[in-house]
């Protein structure tokens, strides 16, 4: 018995090690962490440990529309919250180090929304980035920025429960987040016109954890940048970013010609590079790194309760290899809505783009509902060129 305890103690010591403070993740990279860890890092034991430790949610619902033919659509939601999964503020020293501002900034906006389409035949996965300021219909809240669906419904649900006499902060937070997830999923599903089979949610934790667990992620910049708001301060060219630098890289929008659209491209480039590194041989032969990656998933990830990750692994191996084509969904023009800058979009065009790329054989042009407003003709802002990673090369971005 003592020999058995001695043989296990080094592993236990490794498992007690945690990476640094909580940070930001944008969904695709952390989904890849889960998938690749389950597939390659210790088999059933690690998968069982992961499945029993990561957060789960019933927000998707048992009666949600499902894809047919074995394809899988996954909604990846990155919260711009300065709070952890329990609703507690991140430590002030963490916020200061990350240039993330106070815990009151960001609320529960889903500043990253990516629909990941994984075909059943193992062909190239498609990732559709939804600009966070797109003006859409949010069920129960009218028209607003798509990123607000989560926070609006979370706040309304908590207010209703408080009016009914619920005072427990934990219960309010849990119920509010579940309602927020349901609202965001429904909003995106209606907007894109496709089923959502699974979802993964992360907050201002994962990019730091992920980049550090991978010993850095390589990116490439066309020009040197310096931005006091995000903390970005990088030379031109290819470079490897640590956790703090990674967060600054994916958060910068000031000083970029395309603003939020250029930031979206940076997120795509970072995630594509991270998933490539996840699949590299060195990542999965280092036990300490593997356990660090497992801890990233435990701390920073929430998925739907019904997601059988082991079955999904067989279908999604190309995702971890970087075989993903990114598309930033187009906007028609910029405008003001309730005093805020918004993106005016054409819902019919959006649905058609998604349909053509996810089911080109059977897609039919969607039609606008009767009485739907038609975007005024204008010169559309240029969409950033998406990085496409097919197992080699790091795309340079602005």
């Amino acid at each position: 018995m003592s020999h058995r305890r001695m043989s296990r103690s080094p592993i236990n010591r490794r498992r007690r090690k945690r990476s640094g403070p909580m940070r930001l993740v944008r969904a695709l990279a952390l989904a890849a962490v889960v998938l690749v860890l389950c597939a390659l890092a210790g088999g059933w034991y690690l998968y069982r440990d992961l499945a029993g430790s990561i957060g789960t949610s019933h927000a998707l619902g048992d009666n949600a529309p499902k894809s047919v033919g074995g394809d899988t659509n996954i909604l990846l939601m990155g919260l711009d919250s300065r709070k952890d999964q329990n609703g507690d503020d991140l430590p002030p020293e963490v916020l200061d180090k990350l240039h993330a501002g106070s815990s009151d900034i960001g609320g529960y906006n889903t500043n990253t929304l990516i629909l990941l389409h994984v075909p059943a035949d193992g062909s190239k996965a498609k990732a559709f980035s939804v600009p966070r300021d797109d003006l859409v219909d949010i069920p129960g809240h009218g028209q607003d920025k798509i990123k607000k669906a989560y926070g609006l419904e979370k706040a309304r649900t908590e207010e209703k429960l408080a009016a009914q006499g619920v005072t427990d902060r934990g219960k309010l937070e849990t119920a509010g987040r579940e309602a927020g997830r349901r609202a965001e999923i429904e909003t995106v599903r209606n907007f894109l016109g496709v089923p959502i089979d699974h979802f993964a949610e992360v907050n201002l934790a994962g990019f730091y954890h992920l980049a550090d667990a991978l010993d850095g992620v390589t990116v490439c910049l066309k020009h040197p940048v310096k931005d006091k708001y995000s903390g970005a301060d990088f030379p031109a060219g290819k470079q490897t970013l640590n956790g703090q630098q990674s967060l600054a890289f994916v958060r910068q929008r000031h000083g970029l010609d395309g603003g939020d659209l250029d930031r979206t491209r940076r997120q795509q480039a970072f995630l594509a590079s991270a998933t490539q590194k996840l699949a590299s041989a060195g990542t999965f032969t280092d036990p300490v790194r593997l356990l660090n990656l497992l801890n990233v998933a435990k701390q920073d990830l929430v998925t739907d309760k019904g997601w059988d990750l082991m079955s999904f692994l067989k279908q999604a191996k190309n995702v971890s290899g970087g075989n993903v084509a990114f598309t930033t969904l187009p906007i028609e023009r910029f405008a003001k809505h309730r005093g805020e800058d918004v993106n005016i979009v054409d819902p019919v065009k959006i649905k058609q783009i998604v349909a053509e790329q996810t089911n080109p054989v059977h897609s039919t042009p969607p039609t606008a509902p009767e009485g739907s407003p038609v975007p005024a003709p204008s010169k559309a802002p240029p969409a950033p060129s998406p990085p496409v990673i097919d197992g080699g090369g790091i795309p340079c971005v602005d």
Side-chain angles (χ1 to χ4, degrees):
M1 181 69 68
S2 61
H3 173 72
R4 190 173 300 171
R5 286 196 298 268
M6 290 176 62
S7 66
R8 294 177 61 185
S9 61
I11 297 178
N12 290 335
R13 284 198 298 271
R14 287 191 187 105
R15 291 183 64 194
R16 284 196 294 267
K17 291 183 179 180
R18 302 290 181 185
S19 1
M22 298 287 287
R23 310 285 190 261
L24 167 70
V25 92
R26 304 292 177 186
L28 181 57
L30 274 184
V33 171
V34 179
L35 302 177
V36 180
L37 276 174
C38 295
L40 302 175
W44 172 249
Y45 172 76
L46 281 178
Y47 169 69
R48 184 180 60 184
D49 188 36
L50 172 66
S53 302
I54 64 174
T56 56
S57 165
H58 295 275
L60 192 59
D62 295 334
N63 298 321
K66 298 293 184 182
S67 297
V68 296
D71 292 356
T72 304
N73 292 331
I74 305 165
L75 178 61
L76 308 173
M77 303 189 296
L79 288 182
D80 193 34
S81 173
R82 275 67 169 167
K83 298 178 184 294
D84 63 20
Q85 291 189 23
N86 298 317
D88 297 322
D89 294 345
L90 296 177
E93 61 272 17
V94 175
L95 296 172
D96 181 64
K97 185 177 181 181
L98 296 180
H99 293 263
S102 75
S103 60
D104 295 327
I105 297 175
Y108 286 88
N109 291 332
T110 50
N111 276 2
T112 297
L113 288 168
I114 299 175
L115 180 78
L116 178 64
H117 174 77
V118 183
D121 60 7
S123 59
K124 182 183 296 183
K126 309 288 178 58
F128 302 92
S129 292
V130 182
R132 63 177 187 166
D133 291 338
D134 284 2
L135 185 65
V136 302
D137 292 320
I138 300 177
H141 297 277
Q143 283 205 320
D144 215 323
K145 296 181 180 182
I146 195 167
K147 69 178 182 181
K148 289 187 175 184
Y150 191 117
L152 288 171
E153 189 58 31
K154 177 181 185 294
R156 182 163 70 175
T157 298
E158 292 177 0
E159 289 174 0
K160 286 182 178 179
L161 291 175
Q164 295 170 10
V166 178
T167 58
D168 184 273
R169 191 173 69 89
K171 291 182 179 180
L172 291 171
E173 181 72 14
T174 299
R177 287 205 173 193
E178 283 289 87
R181 292 165 186 144
R182 285 192 297 271
E184 195 68 57
I185 291 168
E186 183 180 3
T187 300
V188 175
R189 183 169 56 216
N190 293 345
F191 180 50
L192 301 185
V194 294
I196 293 175
D197 303 290
H198 300 293
F199 80 91
E201 173 195 309
V202 289
N203 62 11
L204 272 183
F207 264 132
Y208 183 94
H209 281 151
L210 179 65
D212 277 1
L214 290 174
D215 293 331
V217 172
T218 301
V219 301
C220 180
L221 283 171
K222 295 179 181 178
H223 313 285
V225 296
K226 189 169 185 177
D227 171 40
K228 66 178 182 179
Y229 297 100
S230 65
D233 188 359
F234 308 119
K238 188 178 294 187
Q239 52 208 288
T240 299
L241 307 183
N242 62 24
Q244 183 174 349
Q245 293 169 328
S246 296
L247 186 59
F249 176 81
V250 298
R251 290 184 65 238
Q252 183 186 3
R253 62 188 175 92
H254 296 281
L256 302 178
D257 291 341
D260 267 350
L261 297 181
D262 279 342
R263 177 163 69 171
T264 296
R265 188 183 179 192
R266 285 176 169 225
Q267 293 169 6
Q268 294 169 350
F270 178 91
L271 296 178
S273 180
T275 55
Q276 277 191 298
K277 192 164 187 179
L278 281 168
S280 67
T283 301
F284 299 103
T285 56
D286 184 340
V288 174
R289 184 180 292 179
L290 287 173
L291 291 173
N292 285 339
L293 288 170
L294 180 61
N295 285 331
V296 171
K298 288 179 180 179
Q299 294 178 71
D300 303 329
L301 187 66
V302 174
T303 68
D304 57 283
K305 186 71 173 178
W307 197 351
D308 183 351
L309 294 175
M310 287 297 283
S311 296
F312 179 70
L313 286 173
K314 300 175 183 178
Q315 180 183 359
K317 59 183 179 181
N318 280 340
V319 176
S320 62
N323 192 18
V324 183
F326 288 90
T327 298
T328 300
L329 295 173
I331 65 178
E332 303 300 313
R333 59 187 175 90
F334 302 114
K336 289 283 187 180
H337 179 75
R338 298 174 184 168
E340 295 183 326
D341 294 325
V342 297
N343 305 327
I344 301 300
V345 295
D346 183 344
V348 175
K349 179 191 293 187
I350 296 296
K351 289 180 175 65
Q352 182 64 17
I353 290 172
V354 175
E356 288 175 348
Q357 295 193 40
T358 58
N359 191 16
V361 176
H362 300 98
S363 63
T364 56
T367 57
E370 186 176 350
S372 297
V374 178
S378 64
K379 183 179 180 180
S385 301
V388 179
I389 306 299
D390 291 312
I394 302 296
C396 278
V397 296
D398 292 322

